[in-house]
Amino acid sequence: MPCVGNELRDQIIYRLRQFLRGLHVHITEAEQALLKEILPLAAHELFRQMPPDAQRHSLNVLYTLQENVSPVEPDLAVAALLHDVGKVATETAGIKLTLWLRGPLVLLDAFASGWMRDLAADVPIPKTLTQRWQYLLHVHFEHPHIGAVWAEEAKCSPLTCWLIEHHQADVQLLHAPHAHWKNFLSALQWADGQN
């Protein structure tokens, strides 16, 4: 049991640090130019829809990959930048999944994932506050799929879309269209976990 307590404590500390880093983020002009180099035009528009702290997180995931995986496959770089873009779907419910909500949601997920999943609902046009929160929970759990669909619509490669779709999945349980795709996914998950 102490192991679970330590894991939870570590996750809380990690999320608090992530929150504090997210309060004062800035994307430089050089980074804006880098984004235009890496992302197809429609994918760049997706990236721009994310809140600034989510953009910073995605850039940091890319930088972690660049520092540790050489060279970074272009499709992996795009997936690093767009892996969380599906979270923007909450805006259709009138709720922005901002820094103030993401951290607490992840922590609540650690405490009461089953309860949260029971409350989550894919409400096409949420009208009530309850429906909005149910949809927010749905997006929290389904953002990898939502992001992969959007990436496909933005003409991203099949590998990029697959990486986005599975960035929270257990690599060992997945069937990949090509064996080396799991290596890219492991790298993406590792870099995401570092940031």
Side-chain angles (χ1 to χ4, degrees):
M1 193 68 160
C3 218
V4 172
N6 288 340
E7 288 175 21
L8 186 56
R9 182 202 66 217
D10 292 347
Q11 188 173 24
I12 290 170
I13 291 169
Y14 168 79
R15 290 296 168 185
L16 286 172
R17 285 183 182 149
Q18 191 177 40
F19 174 81
L20 292 172
R21 282 192 311 260
L23 287 175
H24 304 287
V25 296
H26 177 70
I27 309 299
T28 67
E29 287 184 29
E31 288 172 323
Q32 292 292 352
L34 175 68
L35 291 167
K36 289 179 181 175
E37 274 180 39
I38 294 173
L39 294 169
L41 185 58
H44 186 255
E45 288 304 312
L46 285 177
F47 183 87
R48 290 181 43 155
Q49 292 176 31
M50 294 191 302
D53 63 293
Q55 292 179 11
R56 169 54 49 208
H57 165 72
S58 294
L59 278 162
N60 290 346
V61 169
L62 174 63
Y63 293 150
T64 299
L65 284 170
Q66 289 174 333
E67 291 167 7
N68 294 280
V69 177
S70 184
V72 175
E73 160 74 32
D75 294 331
L76 175 57
V78 174
L81 293 170
L82 296 179
H83 70 280
D84 281 340
V85 73
K87 292 179 179 181
V88 174
T90 60
E91 293 183 17
T92 62
I95 299 174
K96 286 192 176 202
L97 193 50
T98 64
L99 181 63
W100 294 96
L101 287 176
R102 273 194 308 278
L105 269 178
V106 171
L107 291 175
L108 186 57
D109 192 7
F111 288 112
S113 183
W115 174 74
M116 286 177 63
R117 286 188 185 277
D118 289 344
L119 289 176
D122 184 6
V123 183
I125 303 172
K127 294 180 181 164
T128 67
L129 185 59
T130 300
Q131 289 174 334
R132 288 180 180 147
W133 283 101
Q134 288 175 313
Y135 187 69
L136 178 125
L137 293 175
H138 165 76
V139 170
H140 172 71
F141 291 114
E142 297 299 322
H143 78 272
H145 175 71
I146 295 166
V149 169
W150 289 356
E152 184 176 18
E153 290 170 356
K155 307 292 187 235
C156 292
S157 74
L159 172 56
T160 295
C161 297
W162 187 86
L163 290 169
I164 294 169
E165 173 95 37
H166 296 97
H167 80 269
Q168 292 188 329
D170 185 335
V171 175
Q172 302 306 316
L173 301 177
L174 283 177
H175 168 73
H178 305 283
H180 66 282
W181 285 20
K182 283 187 174 187
N183 296 334
F184 293 135
L185 182 59
S186 293
L188 176 60
Q189 289 177 341
W190 176 81
D192 191 20
Q194 300 301 305
N195 293 284

